[in-house]
Amino acid sequence: MSRARGHLRAALHLEAVSPRGATTRTAARRELSARPAPRKPGMEYQDAVRTLNTLQTNASYLEQMKSQQGDPQTKLEAMELYLARSGLQVEDLDRLNIIHVTGTKGKGSTCAFTERILRSYGLKTGFFSSPHLVQVRERIRINGQPISCELFTKHFWRLYQRLEETKRLLGPQALLCSCPQDGKSCVSMPAYFRFLTLMAFHVFLQEKVDLAVVEVGIGGAYDCTNIIRKPVVCGVSSLGIDHTRLLGDTVEKIAWQKGGIFKHGVPAFTVPQPDGPLAVLKERAEQISCPLYLCPQLEALEEGGPPLTLGLEGEHQRSNAALALQLARCWLQQKDHRGIGHLMASRPSLLQQLPLAPVFQPTSHMRQGLRDTEWPGRSQVLRRGHLTWYLDGAHTSSSMQACVRWFRQALHRGERRGSSPEVHVLLFNSTGDRDPAALLKLLQPCQFDYAVFCPNLTEVSSTGNADQQNFTVTLDQVLLRCLEHQQHWRHLDEEQAGPDFWSAPSPEPGGPASLRLAPCPPHTHSSGSLVFSCISHALQWITQGRDPVFQPPSPPQGLLAHPVAGSGASVLREAAAIHVLVTGSLHLVGGVLKLLEPSLSQ
């Protein structure tokens, strides 16, 4: 790969000093951001997204790659080559003043808190996250807002054309070292997430942001965002089991991957973790002389002042907010900003493994940032007449525990006094290598009247909306998985007579005690279950025309043919209130939001 990089850089250098005259090497590297955006027919936003979707790895090839993993280090080397082909070098990313964040759960919320805090100081922020809920441009934000369709389109085609043009500069050696999409055409184009990562860097540089908050995609060590060599500060949110085929099947192995974002001399912060993964993070940090600190609980920062108000619901968000405060304060301190909060007397670390991060009084800007943070699809509530929607993209065991606790507390707070019936509905899907049976078991104490399963497809055919297209799985695969979910749910229904596992301590060693719930009476509840072919059909059955915003055309023929669907429709039409929990997948939550909040698609 180093030989390929040499070929490419030499080729780019030759292009930069071509006989046309005064073009310098530096100017060539800036060429992508300098030239005007193309304005040809067929280059509008939806055309750009459809072209981007062709960079998704198809389902069969994805399975092949998972079973034939090569040297992961070559992934980062390939990403550096793509960056060079796009007109940038890794040194250019230093100007973005990056906050790099990884973790298993809560990393997106942590990034959202951090970005909003720093924006409240008047700073211009960039924010790169994944996945998107409704439109792909949500992944690249300026000052908290998704970039416009026009800006997305402009930067997409600039980058796409630049990468197309540099294909001819790649010699055979470089081609052989790339990451193929189909086994034949070696690397002409980066894959979907890599392309968006490159595009985010270009957008942030051209828009001259003061800082960029960058969320890791998967893992850390070999994630394509890890070509960042000099972040200002790094963060690791709560760790757990996820993406086991890529990251490992223990929390310790996953911690090793996450600690891969640590850099020499760059401060890093993490939240309380179980002893095993915390020891791994400490070792990773010590190996490269990275100062790693443990965040104190949010309660310690509230002493001597009013309680902090968070814009995101759920007790689990307090850990994310505590990490965000440390990341924001450290960034401000490194950049010599004033007003970073007065230090208070620090307590010793109870875990003794890591030094404790500063205990300080949050400033008014920090308080405002936490209070004003918005992050759709995470502990989100939408109230619509007789219907209340609870949206949370929890997809790991520990995040599902937090989701269930939040949902049950929200139901208790909004409990109505009266004899009119209320109906509780679960809308669920799970993807990837996650264990759906384990997730569904955690949802059983909610005692749903109906469990509804559907794939993450807004409509049966998504060809009309490129943002919702997904080529990494086939339709048969996702429908079969939904039927498996239904079978798991029915099996759990049959086992409900057992003791409530929620009365026992958290299954994760060292997990937060706040996730333990009070004992429930033995389950005597049984729920009906249904599978629908898309989200729209599922919502049509759940709402029965009672949602004032979601008013689709007449339901398809046969929607009520199943006995449970027919009898359930009558119950839903007559219920005084319908409470719907949507969870298991952020993509499912995004599809639901697309239908319930049409403004998000505009």
Side-chain angles (χ1 to χ4, degrees):
M1 177 60 77
S2 58
R3 184 184 300 176
R5 187 187 294 109
H7 285 312
L8 175 60
R9 286 181 174 166
L12 288 172
H13 177 66
L14 286 173
E15 182 186 65
V17 294
S18 61
R20 287 179 289 179
T23 307
T24 65
R25 182 176 185 178
T26 302
R29 279 166 44 194
R30 303 295 185 271
E31 179 186 352
L32 179 58
S33 297
R35 57 186 176 181
R39 275 296 175 218
K40 296 180 181 178
M43 287 192 172
E44 300 307 317
Y45 174 72
Q46 285 292 317
D47 300 303
V49 179
R50 288 189 184 94
T51 305
L52 173 66
N53 288 343
T54 65
L55 304 181
Q56 293 183 28
T57 309
N58 68 61
S60 59
Y61 184 69
L62 188 63
E63 286 302 312
Q64 177 188 338
M65 290 300 293
K66 285 180 178 179
S67 61
Q68 300 176 359
Q69 294 186 29
D71 180 5
Q73 185 62 34
T74 61
K75 297 178 182 178
L76 290 181
E77 295 177 349
M79 186 64 181
E80 290 186 21
L81 283 175
Y82 288 126
L83 187 71
R85 285 175 57 196
S86 78
L88 295 174
Q89 301 297 329
V90 289
E91 296 83 2
D92 295 316
L93 306 184
D94 299 347
R95 295 186 281 123
L96 291 176
N97 300 315
I98 289 170
I99 299 173
H100 203 191
V101 182
T102 189
T104 304
K105 48 191 183 290
K107 67 181 188 293
S109 298
T110 296
C111 288
F113 278 128
T114 305
E115 182 277 332
R116 189 62 188 87
I117 290 170
L118 292 171
R119 183 157 36 105
S120 71
Y121 278 83
L123 296 163
K124 185 174 183 178
T125 63
F127 180 10
F128 177 63
S129 65
S130 60
H132 62 276
L133 295 179
V134 178
Q135 297 194 61
V136 66
R137 59 192 182 89
E138 298 165 22
R139 297 183 183 224
I140 305 174
R141 295 171 182 259
I142 301 293
N143 285 334
Q145 295 301 311
I147 60 174
S148 66
C149 292
E150 292 75 18
L151 196 62
F152 183 96
T153 303
K154 178 179 77 171
H155 282 283
F156 174 86
W157 289 116
R158 280 180 177 170
L159 178 57
Y160 192 87
Q161 290 186 345
R162 171 66 177 180
L163 292 171
E164 282 284 349
E165 289 169 2
T166 54
K167 279 189 206 177
R168 62 183 172 80
L169 301 174
L170 293 172
Q173 295 297 324
L175 284 173
L176 289 172
C177 296
S178 311
C179 301
Q181 297 291 317
D182 56 12
K184 294 181 181 178
S185 77
C186 302
V187 234
S188 29
M189 283 287 173
Y192 187 92
F193 183 77
R194 290 183 180 187
F195 189 100
L196 288 171
T197 304
L198 293 170
M199 184 171 156
F201 291 148
H202 279 281
V203 171
F204 295 155
L205 285 167
Q206 178 153 342
E207 295 298 311
K208 296 180 171 57
V209 299
D210 295 313
L211 67 119
V213 179
V214 176
E215 178 189 0
V216 166
I218 294 177
Y222 306 115
D223 184 75
C224 68
T225 64
N226 207 30
I227 60 171
I228 299 165
R229 58 170 204 159
K230 287 186 179 179
V232 176
V233 60
C234 297
V236 182
S237 67
S238 186
L239 297 178
I241 299 292
D242 197 16
H243 299 295
T244 53
R245 292 179 68 177
L246 294 173
L247 305 180
D249 55 2
T250 68
V251 187
E252 287 75 18
K253 291 178 181 177
I254 290 171
W256 189 93
Q257 294 281 351
K258 305 292 183 180
I261 70 167
F262 296 156
K263 303 295 187 295
H264 174 77
V266 174
F269 297 84
T270 188
V271 298
Q273 312 278 6
D275 289 345
L278 191 65
V280 173
L281 291 178
K282 180 184 178 184
E283 182 181 0
R284 288 283 266 168
E286 289 175 343
Q287 287 173 348
I288 59 168
S289 299
C290 162
L292 176 62
Y293 301 94
L294 184 69
C295 294
Q297 300 286 346
L298 204 59
E299 289 80 3
L301 278 63
E302 292 176 313
E303 289 184 5
L308 293 164
T309 302
L310 306 185
L312 305 183
E313 291 190 16
E315 188 70 20
H316 57 287
Q317 294 292 355
R318 292 179 63 83
S319 171
N320 301 327
L323 176 56
L325 283 168
Q326 296 293 343
L327 294 174
R329 185 181 186 276
C330 182
W331 190 95
L332 292 165
Q333 187 177 42
Q334 298 275 15
K335 297 300 175 181
D336 297 322
H337 277 257
R338 296 181 179 179
I340 61 174
H342 297 294
L343 289 177
M344 299 188 289
S346 182
R347 303 170 177 177
S349 170
L350 296 178
L351 297 178
Q352 300 296 323
Q353 286 203 47
L354 293 176
L356 197 67
V359 178
F360 60 93
Q361 291 181 338
T363 66
S364 59
H365 290 306
M366 294 174 182
R367 289 178 174 275
Q368 177 190 346
L370 291 176
R371 184 179 62 248
D372 294 344
T373 298
E374 296 179 354
W375 197 226
R378 289 81 171 176
S379 308
Q380 182 180 4
V381 179
L382 293 176
R383 293 180 174 86
R384 301 283 189 73
H386 295 282
L387 285 113
T388 305
W389 301 89
Y390 304 83
L391 306 158
D392 191 88
H395 52 270
T396 69
S397 292
S398 47
S399 60
M400 189 61 77
Q401 286 179 315
C403 171
V404 168
R405 185 176 188 275
W406 160 72
F407 176 63
R408 290 173 67 176
Q409 288 179 339
L411 285 178
H412 181 72
R413 287 195 303 267
E415 193 174 9
R416 303 185 185 186
R417 306 298 177 188
S419 57
S420 300
E422 296 192 357
V423 180
H424 296 172
V425 180
L426 169 67
L427 180 56
F428 178 90
N429 192 35
S430 177
T431 61
D433 56 6
R434 300 173 180 99
D435 183 357
L439 300 180
L440 290 169
K441 186 174 183 180
L442 292 169
L443 288 159
Q444 281 282 308
C446 297
Q447 300 193 2
F448 293 102
D449 299 291
Y450 299 98
V452 178
F453 305 99
C454 69
N456 300 336
L457 301 172
T458 308
E459 308 287 348
V460 175
S461 172
S462 60
T463 54
N465 190 326
D467 288 286
Q468 300 291 318
Q469 289 179 331
N470 182 0
F471 300 136
T472 63
V473 290
T474 66
L475 182 59
D476 286 346
Q477 286 175 328
V478 296
L479 288 174
L480 283 172
R481 183 148 180 140
C482 289
L483 291 170
E484 291 172 3
H485 295 161
Q486 184 185 40
Q487 291 173 355
H488 287 311
W489 187 259
R490 287 174 174 171
H491 180 67
L492 290 167
D493 256 354
E494 295 169 359
E495 295 180 338
Q496 278 188 357
D500 186 356
F501 49 86
W502 276 92
S503 61
S506 171
E508 286 197 15
S514 61
L515 292 182
R516 303 171 188 171
L517 301 184
C520 296
H523 298 308
T524 58
H525 193 82
S526 181
S527 58
S529 60
L530 293 164
V531 173
F532 290 96
S533 58
C534 66
I535 297 170
S536 178
H537 292 175
L539 295 195
Q540 288 181 58
W541 181 80
I542 293 169
T543 61
Q544 293 296 311
R546 302 180 72 183
D547 187 293
V549 176
F550 179 66
Q551 294 291 327
S554 57
Q557 190 175 7
L559 190 66
L560 303 181
H562 192 282
V564 173
S567 61
S570 300
V571 173
L572 291 165
R573 282 193 295 266
E574 297 170 6
I578 304 171
H579 300 276
V580 188
L581 174 62
V582 183
T583 191
S585 166
L586 270 171
H587 297 286
L588 174 67
V589 169
V592 171
L593 277 173
K594 172 179 168 57
L595 296 175
L596 296 182
E597 297 276 26
S599 61
L600 295 176
S601 299
Q602 297 173 358

